[in-house]
Amino acid sequence: FIVAIFIFVYGLAFANEIILIIFGQKFYLAITALQTLIWVVPIIFLTSLFGNIMNAINKQRLVTIVAASNAVFNVVLNLILIPKYSFIGASIATVLTELLGFILMFYYISKYHFRVSIKNSIILPVVNGALVLGLIYYFKTFNWIIAGFIGVLFYLVLLYAMKIIDKDDIKLLKEILPIGDKND
């Protein structure tokens, strides 16, 4: 989820630069669509995790029910939002559909299997992301590239300072990733 929040923050803060650098000025209107759709990234990360958990505990039928509910909800939202808001309406429908799936799976897992710590798993990473987003927007007025680098550093420092990750997490990452391999 902390990776998803990082992607979300950078997608939201730098949507303008991403669209204009990659696609050019003629796709300027897509900036708003990206800024809307990027909200789905953290939700999808959690929903996918919950879906995998539910599949692992043999609740595929429930996953199918959630997927069917999402499909119906998405079609209805698209019928309502697209005529009035065009592609931005479709983006909003996508975000709300994923949010519905997350809520349904979160509710089921929390009620029938185990309690998910909202504070440690969701709220602290979101607060971290909000602080970094504010910092990026402040420094972006001077230089967006420097703002991006400062944001990364601040994000990593806050992850540790807020105890979202600890020494054991860092040790595990070093074991998984080829960072500082002593055999090199």
Side-chain angles (χ1 to χ4, degrees):
F1 187 63
I2 61 176
V3 172
I5 292 295
F6 180 83
I7 293 168
F8 164 74
V9 165
Y10 275 73
L12 190 63
F14 297 112
N16 189 36
E17 290 77 11
I18 293 167
I19 294 297
L20 295 179
I21 289 170
I22 296 174
F23 300 107
Q25 189 67 34
K26 61 185 172 186
F27 284 90
Y28 185 79
L29 292 176
I31 294 168
T32 305
L34 177 57
Q35 288 175 323
T36 305
L37 278 174
I38 201 70
W39 287 86
V40 83
V41 171
I43 300 167
I44 285 176
F45 269 63
L46 292 173
T47 304
S48 295
L49 172 65
F50 291 156
N52 288 336
I53 290 170
M54 290 174 60
N55 284 328
I57 60 173
N58 204 26
K59 296 295 180 186
Q60 295 89 346
R61 183 174 182 272
L62 193 57
V63 173
T64 302
I65 291 169
V66 170
S69 300
N70 278 2
V72 171
F73 186 66
N74 189 261
V75 168
V76 170
L77 283 178
N78 280 319
L79 290 171
I80 295 168
L81 296 174
I82 290 174
K84 189 168 184 174
Y85 301 106
S86 183
F87 60 94
I88 302 300
S91 300
I92 292 168
T94 300
V95 173
L96 293 176
T97 299
E98 285 299 323
L99 184 61
L100 173 65
F102 164 74
I103 290 168
L104 293 173
M105 288 188 194
F106 179 84
Y107 173 78
Y108 179 82
I109 288 172
S110 295
K111 183 170 181 173
Y112 296 108
H113 293 285
F114 58 88
R115 188 166 169 81
V116 178
S117 171
I118 294 176
K119 179 187 174 205
N120 292 337
S121 302
I122 298 174
I123 294 175
L124 286 178
V126 168
V127 169
N128 183 6
L131 292 170
V132 171
L133 185 62
L135 184 78
I136 288 172
Y137 273 116
Y138 174 76
F139 281 103
K140 193 175 170 186
T141 60
F142 305 108
N143 183 304
W144 70 272
I145 295 172
I146 292 172
F149 284 116
I150 291 171
V152 169
L153 293 174
F154 195 60
Y155 191 77
L156 295 172
V157 168
L158 278 181
L159 285 176
Y160 191 74
M162 296 173 78
K163 297 183 171 123
I164 297 169
I165 61 169
D166 58 20
K167 289 179 183 178
D168 291 335
D169 294 322
I170 294 169
K171 182 180 175 185
L172 180 64
L173 277 174
K174 285 181 180 180
E175 290 174 8
I176 295 171
L177 302 173
I179 299 172
D181 191 0
K182 295 175 185 173
N183 297 327
D184 288 342

